[in-house]
Amino acid sequence: MDPFSLLILTISVISFFTFQWLFHTVSPWVSIRISPSFRGLSDKQKVEWNSRTVSTFHALLVGIFCLYILFFDDPVNEDPVWGDPTLVKTNVAITTGYLISDLLLIFYYWKAIGDKFFVVHHLAALYAYYYVLGVGMLPYFANFRLLAEFSTPCVNQRWFFEVLGYPKSSRPNMANGVAMAVVFFVVRIAVMPVYYIRMYLVYGTDAFYLVPWGGRVAWIGSSICLDIMNVMWMHKIARGCYRVLRSAQGSKAGAPQENGKRD
């Protein structure tokens, strides 16, 4: 094994154990001090709380790394299929460790956080990342997919507000809900044309035909699979956001009438 591949494997292993440590040790310790209500949660809620805390940390870490690569890694942006994958491999190795760690937790705590869609999502991503880490191809597209992680903190925060008893009509909850819908749409839905146009421009080129069939399936198949789930999640988020905003507007509209009756 060449030194760089060994380094990537080491990063993945370190990432796995780091996220396990964050889940089992760091998150409970920090959460109790930041939110005393953490002590009163059920065991299942504590498992999901810690899982989402780790998820938020991972999302911010790799998301910031993705933006740096997108704006400053010229070799990857100029050659999206075979550009120098050094930075992308490093970021994907971190995510690979996280995904394997999260899968282990999902299966172990299935009654608390088990979700078949997340299992499919993680496996599809790992299948695609195998070709990125093992062959070093498609770095631009791998990095582009990771931009979707920016929506994760808002999604997790919504759950935190819910378990802490914040009303859906409360200002923090509504602000987070709107932010979640907007960010989710921008990083997962609105970018789809950019992603698939870039894919179309690559299709049929010499660089494309150098990608093995397994890599093409991982690239195109996993992209379609993930985006179908993104559209389904976007639909649920949009409906939920619309209901909350509508109910809040209804409450405001009803308030003057009630005051008028009292007069």
Side-chain angles (χ1 to χ4, degrees):
M1 181 179 292
D2 66 84
F4 184 68
S5 296
L6 181 59
L7 174 62
I8 293 301
L9 177 60
T10 302
I11 292 173
S12 297
V13 173
I14 292 175
S15 172
F16 171 84
F17 285 108
T18 299
F19 286 113
Q20 285 287 314
W21 174 64
L22 290 172
F23 175 87
H24 291 288
T25 305
V26 178
S27 177
W29 187 87
V30 173
S31 298
I32 289 174
R33 285 155 180 78
I34 293 179
S35 178
S37 299
F38 179 79
R39 294 180 183 273
L41 300 179
S42 67
D43 290 340
K44 288 184 178 181
Q45 289 174 326
K46 287 180 180 178
V47 168
E48 185 161 1
W49 179 292
N50 294 329
S51 174
R52 289 180 181 273
T53 300
V54 173
S55 170
T56 296
F57 175 79
H58 164 263
L60 293 174
L61 175 64
V62 301
I64 292 171
F65 207 169
C66 279
L67 284 180
Y68 176 83
I69 294 171
L70 186 65
F71 289 113
F72 300 108
D73 195 336
D74 293 333
V76 167
N77 293 313
E78 292 172 4
D79 184 356
V81 181
W82 295 104
D84 180 13
T86 302
L87 292 180
V88 175
K89 273 191 172 186
T90 302
N91 207 22
V92 169
I94 294 171
T95 295
T96 297
Y98 165 74
L99 291 176
I100 296 174
S101 172
D102 199 48
L103 273 175
L104 178 64
L105 294 173
I106 287 174
F107 288 129
Y108 189 80
Y109 297 105
W110 185 262
K111 292 184 179 179
I113 57 175
D115 189 316
K116 60 183 179 180
F117 286 109
F118 277 106
V119 172
V120 173
H121 173 276
H122 286 13
L123 291 177
L126 286 171
Y127 176 61
Y129 290 157
Y130 164 77
Y131 287 94
V132 179
L133 297 178
V135 184
M137 62 188 192
L138 305 169
Y140 172 87
F141 297 100
N143 184 70
F144 203 96
R145 300 297 328 185
L146 279 175
L147 288 173
E149 290 298 325
F150 273 117
S151 65
T152 301
C154 288
V155 175
N156 289 337
Q157 189 59 48
R158 177 193 179 193
W159 184 88
F160 290 136
F161 281 144
E162 180 180 345
V163 79
L164 289 175
Y166 281 70
K168 290 185 177 181
S169 57
S170 65
R171 287 188 178 182
N173 217 333
M174 291 181 62
N176 180 73
V178 173
M180 178 178 66
V182 171
V183 174
F184 195 99
F185 177 78
V186 170
V187 301
R188 291 180 183 254
I189 306 299
V191 297
M192 284 186 190
V194 178
Y195 182 85
Y196 287 105
I197 287 173
R198 195 70 188 268
M199 183 186 291
Y200 174 77
L201 293 175
V202 168
Y203 183 82
T205 63
D206 292 338
F208 173 83
Y209 287 116
L210 289 175
V211 177
W213 275 104
R216 297 179 202 175
V217 172
W219 173 25
I220 300 172
S222 65
S223 294
I224 294 174
C225 178
L226 292 172
D227 283 332
I228 289 174
M229 286 189 286
N230 283 331
V231 171
M232 292 170 59
W233 285 329
M234 182 74 248
H235 178 66
K236 291 181 179 180
I237 291 172
R239 287 184 60 187
C241 185
Y242 174 75
R243 284 197 300 267
V244 171
L245 291 177
R246 187 175 181 181
S247 64
Q249 289 177 350
S251 299
K252 290 181 179 179
Q257 296 178 359
E258 294 175 358
N259 291 335
K261 290 178 181 179
R262 292 191 187 96
D263 292 341

